[in-house]
Amino acid sequence: MMKSLISMLFAVSLALGATTVWAAPESENAIDTAQGDVTLYPVQHASFVLEWNGQTIYVDPTQGADAYAGLPTADIVLLTHGHGDHLDRETLDGLDLRKALVVMPQAVADDIGETYGHAQTIMDNGETVHTDAGVGIHAVPMYNLPPSDDAYHPRGWGNGYVVTLADKRIYISGDTEGIDEMRALENIDVAFVCMNLPYTMDVEQAADAVADFSPALVYPYHYRGQDTQKFRDLLADKNVATEVRLRDWYAQ
């Protein structure tokens, strides 16, 4: 009897040890707008949440629904492309998306169908939509260089996004390199810029591209294995008036 009890307790401890225990994401004010603050909740890697003026935006939600415990339900979900660290059906299945507008490129729609949210919006690079709650969403290119049909991220396969909240513009890079379309961005107040090899770009290319479009504020994200302090130093050497905020996107 005692051996059976010990065995059972050992099995339970193993199961608990194999389960990630998520703390509620820590928040910070990313930027002020004419209609209130934008609150940022980093989740992990490429996943984060923005909250503004009663609207909650989930970006590439992954890591399971427990990672979003304590956060408001999504009003908008932005999906950049179909790789597993950006598109996780298990996470989507576990979230309450019944009232959400789910935005995606065609390649993601081909994968998940009309499964999530009360409305799905398929956007090609260059298209813009505006929600009734005052959120502007503009799909921008994300791709590898040189452009190639067999690249990790071919041109036109995925979307980055520029989100307009009142008087501020927020750029979400998705998985990309320092493409001309990124460098040509204007009036970006906050940028979330990826940097990891071999799938996107190194810190040198990221700093060079960010220097070209000079956002007021940049958060390196999707940076596993890269030296983000070096990215900050490189950008400082270019005398660009961009604030770099380094956050731990891999705390869990």
Side-chain angles (χ1 to χ4, degrees), residues 87-161:
L87 177 65
D88 179 22
R89 298 192 67 160
E90 183 177 346
T91 300
L92 295 174
D93 287 340
L95 295 171
D96 182 0
L97 302 180
R98 289 172 294 178
K99 297 181 180 180
L101 169 69
V102 184
V103 179
M104 66 197 75
Q106 183 64 57
V108 171
D110 292 342
D111 183 8
I112 67 175
E114 296 182 6
T115 306
Y116 303 103
H118 78 90
Q120 292 188 200
T121 298
I122 299 170
M123 297 185 68
D124 293 328
N125 295 167
E127 293 186 334
T128 302
V129 299
H130 296 274
T131 75
D132 292 340
V135 178
I137 304 167
H138 180 66
V140 297
M142 50 149 275
Y143 57 89
N144 291 123
L145 295 172
S148 165
D149 289 342
D150 60 356
Y152 288 117
H153 309 95
R155 192 203 304 259
W157 180 66
N159 290 334
Y161 296 101

Side-chain angles (χ1 to χ4, degrees), residues 7 21 26 34 38 43 54 57 62 64 69 98 101 135 139 143 149 173 179 205 213 215 222:
S7 296
V21 179
E26 294 187 5
V38 178
V43 177
I57 304 169
T62 65
R98 289 172 294 178
L101 169 69
V135 178
Y143 57 89
D149 289 342
S173 74
I179 57 178
Q205 187 183 160
F213 73 94
H222 194 291

